[in-house]
Amino acid sequence: MTDSQVIVEQILKSFDLKDFNSLAIPAKAEFFCSIDSVSQLQQALVYAKQQNLKITPISGGSNLVLAADVSGLVLHINLKGVSASTVEDNTVDISVAAGENWHDFVTLCLNNGWHGLENLALIPGNMGAAPIQNIGAYGVELSHFLQSVDVVNVETGQPEVLTGEDCDFGYRTSVFKQSALDKYVITGVNLRLSTQPVAHVNYPALAELIEGHKPTPKIIFDSVCQIRRSKLPDPKEIPNVGSFFKNPIVSKQQADQLIRTYPEIPTFSVEGGLTKLAAAWLIERCGFKGKRQGKVGVHHKQALVLVNFEGNGEDVLLLAEKIKTQVAEKFAVVLEVEPRIYGHTQ
Ligand code: EPU
């Protein structure tokens, strides 16, 4: 039997994706296949091309909104494996397959004395999605540690390696969301971590909690977990995709104008003389925090998190649109949705 026949036999039809997206939206994949190896991925790409099927790679499903059923072939990237090698004193290079769970990996690093990722504990999702949105939290982002990303080119089916520079990382963005959108399937991520403790504890909520303690890796890891658990809902209990919008970045002039009207507005200076605003604050000030709209709502402890109580993608997007409209009307600030939306244009 050829590989491509093996793939055909593994493809499921009209497959419910509810358990494969952290918003628990009950949308269906026209075709679905679990991918456990790079060669299987290559075969699936050949098959999709032959059958003229659009492919949609998903992994942990924690940063996507299924607006409708997904046509074509959904590939569940389930590649596993972690390998580490010490290249120089004080650093360790680690290759992680795309289907490894992010938080389990951060925990493994802590237990092995590989440091730097403690601030990124408890972020939902798998490794393969992490570079796409350059995951970040509590003053640290993935791009600080990323050496390269292993991909398979969707068009050619060939493996390629993108350097950190190729990835063109920014705040919650990368080449995978911009010029290389849909061009590659990420199969692995290569990171360089430190074998010496690293402490980034300037983020106010973290600094406050750690005050008076030595900021050891374990204390940082535990404190980040504690902060996240205190305000971010566990997607397994209350379906969500974390922050639904990016924190908007505006000109200093616009920020100054907002400060004159709302002296208490939180603002953060960022590169290029620009100012980052807290989307959660803008949304809360529009009265959405803890509010429910039918089968969806805004989390009562973090206004940037939309939660799903058995609604569908359309319900979530209608609420998001309402929030965007009211924030634009009140503050003249445009909010940008952070997760990727699938299904509505397919
Ligand atoms: N705030 C409110 N109302 C709220 C929540 C927060 O007014 O309901 C205000 C706070 O007072 C604070 C500011 O908003 O001044 C920032 O709040 P917080 O520290 O909770 O962080 P955030 O900006 O809302 C971002 C990330 C999170 C990340 C935290 C910590 C984005 C889009 N979100 O949230 O990432 O965990 O900082 O670094 O950048 C995610 O991307 O899914 C995510 C959870």
Side-chain angles (χ1 to χ4, degrees):
M1 202 186 290
T2 67
D3 283 348
S4 120
Q5 280 170 313
V6 173
I7 276 293
V8 174
E9 290 191 354
Q10 290 171 0
I11 292 175
L12 304 169
K13 273 191 191 160
S14 193
F15 184 86
D16 188 356
L17 294 170
K18 188 170 181 187
D19 293 339
F20 289 80
N21 74 98
S22 68
L23 265 169
I25 291 170
K28 286 195 163 41
E30 187 182 8
F31 300 102
F32 177 92
C33 184
S34 183
I35 298 294
D36 301 322
S37 70
V38 170
S39 66
Q40 215 180 9
L41 170 62
Q42 290 170 315
Q43 290 304 320
L45 293 176
V46 169
Y47 176 77
K49 212 180 219 178
Q50 284 166 353
Q51 303 295 318
N52 202 17
L53 295 174
K54 181 184 161 51
I55 62 131
T56 301
I58 64 167
S59 192
S62 58
N63 204 41
L64 51 91
V65 182
L66 300 174
D69 289 345
V70 185
S71 59
L73 177 59
V74 171
L75 300 174
H76 181 238
I77 307 301
N78 202 24
L79 303 163
K80 299 288 183 191
V82 176
S83 63
S85 56
T86 306
V87 278
E88 289 170 33
D89 287 352
N90 301 342
T91 61
V92 55
D93 281 3
I94 311 171
S95 297
V96 194
E100 290 288 337
N101 175 272
W102 174 263
H103 179 70
D104 290 350
F105 172 67
V106 175
T107 309
L108 178 89
C109 290
L110 180 75
N111 293 339
N112 279 288
W114 305 331
H115 300 302
L117 301 180
E118 293 82 0
N119 298 48
L120 304 180
L122 224 54
I123 294 181
N126 291 348
M127 182 56 79
I132 297 176
Q133 55 154 332
N134 185 22
I135 58 169
Y138 307 103
V140 168
E141 54 187 48
L142 179 76
S143 58
H144 300 163
F145 310 95
L146 189 136
Q147 296 288 300
S148 60
V149 179
D150 300 330
V151 299
V152 168
N153 185 312
V154 171
E155 188 52 37
T156 65
Q158 291 308 305
E160 293 179 26
V161 179
L162 272 64
T163 64
E165 204 175 317
D166 295 335
C167 293
D168 198 16
F169 289 119
Y171 164 62
R172 292 293 191 279
T173 193
S174 72
V175 74
F176 304 107
K177 278 182 137 185
Q178 308 284 335
S179 59
L181 183 75
D182 295 334
K183 187 171 176 190
Y184 303 111
V185 176
I186 295 175
T187 54
V189 177
N190 305 301
L191 303 169
R192 179 163 292 177
L193 300 181
S194 171
T195 52
Q196 301 300 308
V198 186
H200 295 284
V201 291
N202 291 335
Y203 198 88
L206 189 57
E208 212 175 288
L209 197 60
I210 289 185
E211 205 186 341
H213 300 274
K214 184 168 184 257
T216 63
K218 175 89 171 94
I219 293 267
I220 298 172
F221 177 95
D222 286 344
S223 304
V224 167
C225 291
Q226 189 179 330
I227 298 170
R228 290 189 76 98
R229 287 198 175 102
S230 73
K231 54 178 148 190
L232 294 169
D234 179 348
K236 289 193 195 88
E237 286 157 25
I238 308 176
N240 74 88
V241 284
S243 300
F244 202 89
F245 301 97
K246 286 188 186 185
N247 282 329
I249 294 171
V250 300
S251 66
K252 188 170 178 319
Q253 191 188 15
Q254 187 177 2
D256 288 344
Q257 208 171 337
L258 283 165
I259 292 166
R260 278 194 289 278
T261 318
Y262 307 98
E264 70 286 18
I265 189 171
T267 58
F268 312 89
S269 296
V270 292
E271 278 173 19
L274 299 168
T275 302
K276 195 191 265 186
L277 305 174
W281 188 90
L282 304 173
I283 296 167
E284 182 170 346
R285 288 296 292 248
C286 288
F288 283 106
K289 192 169 182 174
K291 283 282 159 61
R292 193 166 167 153
Q293 177 172 287
K295 292 178 176 175
V296 295
V298 177
H299 191 53
H300 64 289
K301 290 184 183 161
Q302 225 303 1
L304 199 43
V305 178
L306 302 195
V307 289
N308 184 20
F309 309 103
E310 306 203 328
N312 58 28
E314 204 180 323
D315 298 327
V316 175
L317 293 175
L318 278 173
L319 175 59
E321 209 42 54
K322 190 168 170 182
I323 291 170
K324 274 181 78 168
T325 304
Q326 292 198 19
V327 167
E329 278 170 4
K330 191 171 171 76
F331 300 105
V333 170
V334 178
L335 291 183
E336 190 187 332
V337 169
E338 205 281 309
R340 176 122 188 230
I341 300 169
Y342 285 103
H344 67 319
T345 55
Q346 298 178 355

